[in-house]
């Protein structure tokens, strides 16, 4: 690849791919986004984002208008490109903890007929360690003119553009200097910002991603375990988190106790990591992740326990209001949302459950048609016997508890995210519960 301005293809235009395509175009590259989902491609081509991500819809429109960014479902378009980023999903398999690699395998197979001599496939999807080597071995037979690298992506929903254009680090797994040089050229504008560059072998690059997500999941479950102990001992986990967080070796990020982690990455990644470790004969090394997963799921049950303690064991007669459906604020993603899991379990136990969310109602409705959805907080909590605050949108933090009290039947709120101002709610006359904080 001697020329300085390679054409890029991005295979898979979901969260990761749509963001990567728009951001690479903003760096000046010609980018074609390819996906088998024709509806998604039609939407993106019109400059519409099929999901919510702050700032990305504007960027998408600007990049399409620049003429550099196009979308298609026609794989033969990939023939124009020199570098192919694989951004397809790797969801959890329905029947096990392992990751489903169908989309990755399909994407690479679909590319094979269109790979130019010297082209580079760059995997960005999160995969079980060993996947890249296997794909490279297959390419040696089906497309020996091409090379493969792995370049994991660490973007957070809600910060997708920032994490792509100003990442904490760039990690590239390669098998030769040429592949590294190509990627250095592609990411030159980011390297110029001083972004740390880590060259690794293929398995290490794959492992970096799951190790990072396992560490983050561990931090969250650690503080949620402390929350359980605080509840038992009459302590306050929010004060504890603040106090340990001042130690720079611990750090204060990802120590927010509450109903735990969800979303499209952390839960499935730790499970797939355990499944892969077992295959590799290293099951014991990741046994602790089973406990991390269990602590995380237990947080949801603790909220349900609090509800039952406040109301009665028979929830049939009660109306429960749930604030928040997305797995975290500033997102419309409801994949493995702890909030919706709690809402659905309360519904299954007989309660009538009304859910509000500033952005995620459409997605939530598709997955949980049994729940009732409200267009406003007022409508959601009117006549309710208990309010659950389960996704910490700014809009909820800014609510005035004194204004709300006349709307509810019973002024009881459970803060599942430790994000509301407890004193303010209590002063306004509410009975206030939070995970990991004694109510003394
Ligand atoms: C995560 C990783 O952060 C990112 O690097 C990776 O690329 C993809 O997975 P994301 O899924 O967008 O990103 O969400 P994140 O911000 O990590 O939050 C995950 C979950 O943990 C959310 O449900 C959030 O509510 C929860 N969380 C986070 C806590 O419960 N407490 C915390 O202190 C932090």
């Amino acid at each position: 690849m001697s020329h300085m301005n390679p054409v890029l293809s991005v295979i898979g235009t979901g969260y990761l791919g749509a963001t990567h395509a728009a951001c690479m175009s903003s760096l000046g590259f010609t980018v074609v986004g390819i996906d088998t989902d024709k509806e998604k491609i039609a939407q993106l081509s019109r400059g519409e984002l099929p999901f919510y991500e702050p700032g990305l819809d504007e960027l998408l429109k600007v990049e399409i208008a620049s003429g550099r960014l196009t979308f298609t479902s026609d794989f033969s378009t990939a023939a124009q490109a020199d570098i192919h980023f694989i951004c397809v999903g790797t969801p959890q398999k329905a029947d096990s903890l392992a990751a489903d690699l169908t989309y990755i395998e399909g994407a690479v197979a679909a590319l094979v007929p269109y790979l130019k001599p010297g082209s580079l496939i760059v995997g960005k999807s999160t995969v079980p360690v060993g996947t890249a080597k296997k794909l490279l071995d297959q390419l040696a037979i089906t497309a020996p003119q091409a090379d493969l690298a792995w370049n994991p992506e660490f973007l957070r929903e809600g910060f997708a553009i920032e994490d792509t254009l100003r990442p904490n680090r760039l990690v590239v797994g390669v098998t030769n200097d040429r592949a590294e040089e190509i990627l250095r050229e592609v990411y030159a504008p980011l390297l110029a910002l001083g972004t740390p560059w880590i060259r690794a072998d293929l398995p290490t690059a794959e492992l970096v991603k799951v190790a990072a997500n396992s560490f983050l999941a561990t931090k969250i479950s650690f503080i949620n375990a402390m929350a359980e102990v605080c509840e038992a001992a009459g302590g306050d986990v929010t004060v504890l988190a603040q106090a340990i967080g001042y130690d720079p070796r611990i750090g204060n990020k990802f120590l927010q106790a509450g109903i735990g982690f969800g979303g499209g990455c952390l839960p499935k990644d730790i499970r797939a990591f355990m499944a892969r470790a077992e295959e590799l004969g290293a099951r014991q090394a990741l046994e602790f992740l089973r406990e991390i997963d269990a602590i995380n799921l237990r947080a949801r049950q603790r909220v349900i326990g609090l509800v039952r303690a406040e109301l009665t064991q028979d929830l049939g007669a009660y109306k429960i209001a749930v604030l928040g459906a997305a797995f975290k604020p500033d997102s419309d993603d409801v994949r493995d949302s702890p909030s919706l899991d709690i809402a659905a379990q309360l519904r299954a136990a007989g309660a009538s459950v009304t859910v509000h969310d500033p952005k995620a109602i459409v997605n939530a409705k598709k997955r949980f048609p049994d729940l009732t959805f409200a267009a406003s907080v007022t409508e959601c909590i009117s006549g309710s016997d208990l309010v659950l605050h389960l996704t910490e949108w700014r809009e909820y933090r800014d609510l005035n508890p004194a204004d709300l009290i006349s709307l509810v039947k019973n002024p009881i709120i459970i803060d599942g995210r430790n994000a509301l101002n407890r004193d303010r709610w209590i002063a306004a006359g509410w009975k206030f519960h939070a995970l990991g904080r004694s109510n003394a």
Side-chain angles (χ1 to χ4, degrees), residues 171-235:
V171 179
V172 297
V174 293
T175 57
N176 56 71
D177 292 344
R178 180 179 173 273
E180 185 189 2
E181 278 317 309
I182 291 172
L183 286 166
R184 271 187 186 278
E185 210 176 285
V186 168
Y187 289 124
L190 311 190
L191 288 172
L193 300 171
T195 309
W197 178 263
I198 294 170
R199 173 179 171 159
D201 52 34
L202 293 174
T204 306
E206 294 168 309
L207 283 170
V208 167
K209 174 62 195 259
V210 281
N213 276 355
S214 297
F215 194 87
L216 294 172
T218 301
K219 248 190 135 174
I220 299 168
S221 278
F222 173 82
I223 203 63
N224 284 336
M226 294 305 110
E228 289 186 41
V229 177
C230 281
E231 278 164 26

Side-chain angles (χ1 to χ4, degrees), residues 268-317:
K268 80 151 169 74
D269 286 356
I270 63 169
R271 291 171 195 154
F273 198 14
M274 284 186 267
R276 184 67 186 130
E278 184 156 359
E279 284 170 8
L280 292 168
R283 179 195 166 109
Q284 243 187 335
L286 298 189
E287 204 53 63
F288 75 98
L289 286 178
R290 222 168 290 279
E291 198 55 44
I292 297 306
D293 203 3
I295 294 167
N296 191 52
L297 296 176
R298 207 149 68 218
R300 305 174 187 187
Q301 298 316 314
R302 282 161 47 229
V303 170
I304 293 168
L306 275 173
V307 172
R308 286 190 188 280
E310 271 303 332
L311 303 174
T312 55
Q313 288 301 315
D314 176 15
L315 296 176

Side-chain angles (χ1 to χ4, degrees), residues 15 126 153-159 163 168-169 209 212-213 216-217 219-221 223-224 252-267 269 296 326-329 331 333 335-338 390-392 416-417:
Y15 211 94
T126 303
E153 180 58 57
F154 305 97
L155 69 82
R156 295 162 297 168
E157 298 191 11
F159 300 89
D163 286 350
N168 321 117
R169 76 295 210 188
K209 174 62 195 259
N213 276 355
L216 294 172
K219 248 190 135 174
I220 299 168
S221 278
I223 203 63
N224 284 336
N252 60 9
K253 304 258 168 65
F254 267 63
L255 285 183
Q256 187 78 18
I259 58 171
F261 58 82
C265 292
L266 261 44
D269 286 356
N296 191 52
F327 84 103
K328 69 174 192 181
S331 167
D333 195 342
R335 283 177 293 171
D336 209 335
S337 164
L390 300 184
T391 311
E392 69 278 32
R417 290 295 187 178

Side-chain angles (χ1 to χ4, degrees), residues 3-15:
H3 49 98
M4 288 302 285
N5 207 4
V7 173
L8 315 182
S9 86
V10 173
I11 316 296
T13 57
Y15 211 94

